Amino acid sequence: MAKKKLSRKELLKQTDEFLTLSNRAAIFFNAHLRGLKYFGIAVAVIVVGYLAVYGYMRHINKSGQEVYNMAYDTLTDNLEPDVTPEKLKKAEELFQRVIDEYGMSKAARLALPQVGHVKFVEKKYDDAILFFDKFAVEVSGDREYETLSSMALAGCYEAKGDLKKAIFILRPIVEAPDNLFRETAMLSLERVYRIDNQPEKANEILKRFVQEYKTSPFLPMAKARL
């Protein structure tokens, strides 16, 4: 079907409408030129600010990770037979430096439990608890990390002799069937119950363990302790 041919009047009308629209746009930009300049400047400031923050965070993360790696390497030396308190202290100082100087880095969060571990090895249990508590706040909402921090805290309270507190922390983990660390938590809770002179509860935990974890590498040990 042939297209309808536009008349000269209709063509002129469309041209006039386009010119009118263009004129209106020109008038609008002229009237708001100052505002548009400010808007452009604001966008530029935001972009520059974002790039500056991005670059700064990259620097912080890189520097924090480098110091963290140094601290971790020093700490792993502590697994050797010839470990010295000086090496342990150096690792603690490096991890603390990550926290103090690169607190906004990703490594700073992971440095908290590392300092807690060093404090635990040094038998400074109250100090260790403080760092594990801080880590628990940082990882709030992440169930796996929350469980790990809870188990570390339970270990601190057990070593400190506050068995009731250790039991209080471990029990919710054991009562959560879908918790990835439940197996380990059950054995820890059984041990604390036994130390706390609650053999009946300890045996109850072991019976549940034997029944629920038939393929566990700890099964022979659990059976032997029943």
Side-chain angles (χ1 to χ4, degrees):
M1 184 176 178
K3 293 183 179 179
K4 181 181 178 181
K5 187 175 180 181
L6 296 175
S7 66
R8 182 172 180 277
K9 183 178 180 181
E10 289 174 326
L11 288 172
L12 289 174
K13 181 180 179 182
Q14 290 184 356
T15 303
D16 288 342
E17 289 176 350
F18 174 76
L19 291 174
T20 301
L21 182 62
S22 300
N23 288 335
R24 287 178 180 175
I27 293 171
F28 173 84
F29 281 110
N30 286 330
H32 297 83
L33 184 59
R34 188 175 182 181
L36 290 171
K37 285 182 179 179
Y38 287 142
F39 176 76
I41 293 172
V43 171
V45 169
I46 292 172
V47 171
V48 171
Y50 171 79
L51 293 175
V53 171
Y54 177 75
Y56 175 73
M57 290 306 301
R58 283 192 62 184
H59 167 73
I60 289 293
N61 280 322
K62 181 180 178 182
S63 300
Q65 189 64 52
E66 288 174 352
V67 178
Y68 179 92
N69 291 342
M70 290 170 55
Y72 185 80
D73 290 341
T74 304
L75 185 61
T76 53
D77 288 342
N78 292 323
L79 302 177
E80 299 176 1
D82 60 343
V83 62
T84 62
E86 288 74 20
K87 284 186 177 181
L88 197 64
K89 190 65 178 176
K90 181 181 178 183
E92 180 183 343
E93 290 173 351
L94 287 170
F95 281 125
Q96 189 64 56
R97 181 183 166 193
V98 175
I99 297 169
D100 293 340
E101 297 183 17
Y102 308 103
M104 296 177 66
S105 69
K106 296 177 181 178
R109 184 176 74 166
L110 298 178
L112 290 169
Q114 295 289 9
V115 177
H117 170 70
V118 173
K119 296 291 187 183
F120 181 87
V121 173
E122 294 174 334
K123 298 183 178 181
K124 299 177 181 178
Y125 303 123
D126 287 332
D127 291 338
I129 289 170
L130 288 175
F131 280 94
F132 286 126
D133 272 335
K134 290 179 181 178
F135 181 64
V137 173
E138 289 290 326
V139 298
S140 179
D142 188 320
R143 190 179 182 191
E144 292 183 12
Y145 275 122
E146 282 183 338
T147 301
L148 288 173
S149 61
S150 293
M151 292 180 68
L153 284 167
C156 290
Y157 282 111
E158 178 186 349
K160 184 182 176 182
D162 191 345
L163 302 178
K164 295 292 190 294
K165 184 70 174 180
I167 292 171
F168 178 79
I169 294 173
L170 290 169
R171 202 171 344 185
I173 302 174
V174 172
E175 296 305 322
D178 59 338
N179 194 298
L180 293 176
F181 304 99
R182 181 172 181 262
E183 181 180 350
T184 305
M186 289 183 78
L187 295 175
S188 297
L189 182 58
E190 180 272 332
R191 181 184 62 251
V192 178
Y193 271 140
R194 204 168 294 280
I195 297 173
D196 196 41
N197 295 318
Q198 300 187 59
E200 296 84 4
K201 290 186 176 180
N203 288 335
E204 182 185 340
I205 292 292
L206 285 177
K207 289 176 182 177
R208 290 170 61 187
F209 185 91
V210 170
Q211 183 179 1
E212 297 176 26
Y213 294 101
K214 297 184 183 299
T215 60
S216 171
F218 303 108
L219 184 63
M221 181 190 71
K223 287 182 175 180
R225 293 171 68 171
L226 269 172

